[in-house]
Amino acid sequence: MAEHTGLNLTLRVWRQENRHAQGRFETYEVKNISTEASFLEMMDILNEQLINEGKQPVAFDHDCREGICGMCSLFINGRAHGPDDDITTCQLHMRKFHDGQTITIEPWRSGGFPIIRDLMVDRSAYDKIMQAGGFVSVSTGGVPDANAIPIPKADADEAMDAAACIGCGACAATCKNGSAMLFVSAKVSQLALLPQGRAEAAKRAKAMVAKMDELGFGNCTNTGACELECPKSVSIAHIARLNREFLKANIKD
Amino acid sequence: MKGFFKSSIGKKFIMSITGCFLILFLTFHMCMNLVYVFSPEGYNMVCQFLGSNWYAVAGTGILALGFVFHIAYATILTIQNRKARGNDRYDNQNLPSGVEWSSKNMFVLGAIVCVGLLVHFCQFWAKMMFAELAGCEGTVPEGFATPGYETKAAVDGAAWIGYYLSKWWIVLLYLVWFAAIWLHLNHGFWSMFQTIGASNSKWIPRLKTISTVFTSIIMGGFALVVLVAFFRNCCGA
């Protein structure tokens, strides 16, 4: 049986006491990390090591660890969610790294996401945008038969693709303008494409864009970086729909 | 429409409409310049038709207004975007391939376009339309005047082209300027459709292709005129 050799890595981790404190990088060594471990498991190993040394563990967000909750939010070696496409940080595995590598781990850096501690950021701005209009408030009655309201498959598919957005914030964190347009457009699209959500599409687009602007997110300049770094591959075509809905809503006024 | 133009999307909408207007102007300007390739005399006829007539002056005024709005909103949006990005920058950011360089540097490219435009204004507009309006028409440097236009420097566009574009370093600067405009337009063209909502997942790649082709035709046309002028006047072709 071949001898198992793990990875010996150097980690440059951003440490910051709180929102107002001065942050800095600290360097740690971790040894014999299995290539089959997830990135967050490697972070757990680092934290155990720090606790055993009597040091403060690194604070980072995580929850489901299966790519659906949107909690993990690390910027690893210059990319949101690390060096792989269409995955969240919790789906990143150590086989993507090589022995002896230095890994730089940073929090989301965007005006809309202030740092709480170390690698944890406050993403409640996205919740506030959702509270402004990201819901259906019209009475939709009881549960109808599955085929009582015909919905074209293309629309259903596109709504589903938009609904895949988990609100992790990688879009705004990657955007050079700190724009939340991909997130807002995904939420507007998933509802506007379906009959129950269509009724309030204009009101919703206006309310969510107004809240996004109020919270200080930047303006979209169509670089497309958000789409490339989105772990759910949400398309910037939804941004075009949001622009269309917003324009139509304002013309109707 | 209350509050529309104060919203982030409204400001981008203004950028799109003014940008569209500037693209249409460039298209017209390139078509006009192409006449020079076939006939310098024909080009002068176009210059004479436009001259300082009311429609040309009105067009220039509207164009200037569109340009001012485009620059003003670009500046406002850039300042807002820098603020939204926050003060902390990533120690290391490796964007995946697929993000156009021009899309990240539109403001810088716009600034280069503006500097080139100032030089272009000093070389041509100031000596043609402006000179005619101000009544201070000068003379074309000796040996460059088009026969029959010796006393009409303000409409002898072919002579001014011949004079300036006979120098290799001015030709080089113009080609660099055109490259900056190409990069700016290549992103701006499809981005314009995206911002007004006239796009979807099928049309984004199509619009990007149309954008590259259209921009190449426009800027290729301008570059052709510059090169023809250089070889015609420098090499005496």
Side-chain angles (χ1 to χ4, degrees), chain B residues 8-231:
Chain B
S8 55
I9 296 177
K11 286 179 205 139
K12 285 287 296 171
F13 184 80
I14 291 173
M15 288 295 288
S16 297
I17 299 302
T18 52
C20 174
F21 181 61
L22 294 171
I23 288 172
L24 289 174
F25 167 74
L26 277 179
T27 309
F28 164 77
H29 197 328
M30 188 275 291
C31 293
M32 181 184 133
N33 284 13
L34 274 185
V35 176
Y36 175 83
V37 173
F38 303 104
S39 163
E41 292 77 16
Y43 179 73
N44 276 1
M45 285 170 73
V46 177
C47 291
Q48 201 153 14
F49 173 71
L50 293 171
S52 59
N53 291 309
W54 68 268
Y55 43 84
V57 175
T60 307
I62 295 167
L63 183 70
L65 204 64
F67 201 75
V68 166
F69 269 93
H70 198 74
I71 295 169
Y73 273 86
T75 308
I76 292 167
L77 290 167
T78 302
I79 291 168
Q80 283 182 347
N81 290 345
R82 287 188 71 83
K83 194 176 164 194
R85 193 72 190 86
N87 295 324
D88 297 325
R89 293 284 183 272
Y90 290 111
D91 183 61
N92 172 22
Q93 186 169 15
N94 302 316
L95 282 176
S97 59
V99 177
E100 297 166 12
W101 179 87
S102 55
S103 72
K104 294 183 288 171
N105 295 284
M106 286 296 271
F107 193 72
V108 175
L109 287 168
I112 295 170
V113 172
C114 284
V115 170
L117 195 67
L118 278 176
V119 174
H120 184 63
F121 266 26
C122 292
Q123 291 179 334
F124 293 92
W125 183 77
K127 285 165 182 159
M128 296 175 75
M129 183 190 275
F130 179 76
E132 207 173 348
L133 285 171
C136 56
E137 208 171 329
T139 51
V140 176
E142 204 178 332
F144 285 96
T146 309
Y149 285 84
E150 288 82 359
T151 56
K152 293 188 268 187
V155 290
D156 194 359
W160 291 113
I161 288 178
Y163 172 63
Y164 285 115
L165 300 178
S166 60
K167 298 169 178 66
W168 68 267
W169 58 274
I170 293 184
V171 169
L172 188 66
L173 285 177
Y174 266 91
L175 293 178
V176 170
W177 186 42
F178 292 160
I181 301 175
W182 186 91
L183 288 165
H184 196 81
L185 284 192
N186 192 37
H187 176 69
F189 187 91
W190 77 265
S191 195
M192 171 177 81
F193 289 94
Q194 171 83 355
T195 300
I196 61 170
S199 181
N200 58 32
S201 51
K202 277 185 187 162
W203 271 92
I204 287 173
R206 290 174 189 170
L207 285 170
K208 283 186 176 179
T209 305
I210 293 169
S211 185
T212 304
V213 171
F214 182 80
T215 306
S216 299
I217 290 171
I218 297 290
M219 298 323 296
F222 278 117
L224 177 72
V225 173
V226 165
L227 291 172
V228 166
F230 176 70
F231 288 113

Side-chain angles (χ1 to χ4, degrees), chain A residues 12 25 75 77-79 85 104 106-112 115 158 172-178 181 209 212-213 216-225 228-229 235-237 239-244 246-247 250-251 253, chain B residues 1-4 6-13 76-78 80-86 88-100 103-106 187 190-201 204 208:
Chain A
R12 286 180 71 233
F25 279 103
F75 208 83
N77 276 356
R79 289 191 65 186
D85 296 329
T104 301
E106 299 179 74
W108 283 172
R109 295 192 193 279
S110 190
I115 291 176
E158 211 171 347
T174 295
C175 178
K176 75 178 185 71
N177 308 321
M181 282 287 276
V209 169
M212 175 184 76
D213 290 349
F217 285 101
N219 308 282
C220 175
T221 53
N222 303 316
T223 64
L228 292 168
E229 290 294 53
S235 165
I236 56 168
I239 295 180
R241 179 174 292 102
L242 170 61
N243 292 337
R244 201 158 57 236
F246 187 75
L247 185 60
N250 276 279
I251 289 170
D253 273 0
Chain B
M1 296 290 279
K2 191 185 168 190
F4 175 73
K6 284 184 182 167
S7 69
S8 55
I9 296 177
K11 286 179 205 139
K12 285 287 296 171
F13 184 80
I76 292 167
L77 290 167
T78 302
Q80 283 182 347
N81 290 345
R82 287 188 71 83
K83 194 176 164 194
R85 193 72 190 86
D88 297 325
R89 293 284 183 272
Y90 290 111
D91 183 61
N92 172 22
Q93 186 169 15
N94 302 316
L95 282 176
S97 59
V99 177
E100 297 166 12
S103 72
K104 294 183 288 171
N105 295 284
M106 286 296 271
H187 176 69
W190 77 265
S191 195
M192 171 177 81
F193 289 94
Q194 171 83 355
T195 300
I196 61 170
S199 181
N200 58 32
S201 51
I204 287 173
K208 283 186 176 179

Side-chain angles (χ1 to χ4, degrees), chain A residues 18-84:
Chain A
N18 56 57
R19 180 179 301 193
H20 306 291
Q22 184 74 33
R24 76 277 170 202
F25 279 103
E26 284 192 6
T27 305
Y28 306 106
E29 303 288 334
V30 285
K31 296 193 184 305
N32 203 27
I33 301 294
S34 165
T35 51
E36 288 167 24
S38 76
F39 194 86
L40 293 186
E41 283 166 346
M42 186 276 293
M43 291 298 289
D44 293 336
I45 292 167
L46 168 68
N47 275 346
E48 276 182 33
Q49 189 178 306
L50 291 174
I51 291 166
N52 289 338
E53 290 169 4
K55 294 177 183 167
Q56 276 286 339
V58 178
F60 63 93
D61 269 324
H62 60 98
D63 192 5
C64 75
R65 299 206 178 198
E66 53 187 17
I68 55 170
C69 75
M71 279 307 289
C72 51
S73 57
L74 304 181
F75 208 83
I76 305 159
N77 276 356
R79 289 191 65 186
H81 295 300
D84 204 353

Side-chain angles (χ1 to χ4, degrees), chain A residues 96-165:
Chain A
K96 285 285 167 187
F97 302 91
H98 59 80
D99 190 37
Q101 189 172 353
T102 298
I103 305 174
T104 301
I105 309 164
E106 299 179 74
W108 283 172
R109 295 192 193 279
S110 190
F113 301 143
I115 291 176
I116 298 171
R117 185 186 177 88
D118 297 338
L119 304 172
M120 285 178 79
V121 296
D122 179 0
R123 284 171 285 175
S124 60
Y126 271 16
D127 297 332
K128 288 174 188 160
I129 294 171
M130 288 302 283
Q131 286 160 4
F135 48 81
V136 173
S137 65
V138 293
S139 177
T140 54
V143 180
D145 284 344
N147 56 358
I149 306 171
I151 300 168
K153 183 162 188 321
D155 288 353
D157 285 350
E158 211 171 347
M160 193 62 212
D161 288 346
C165 168

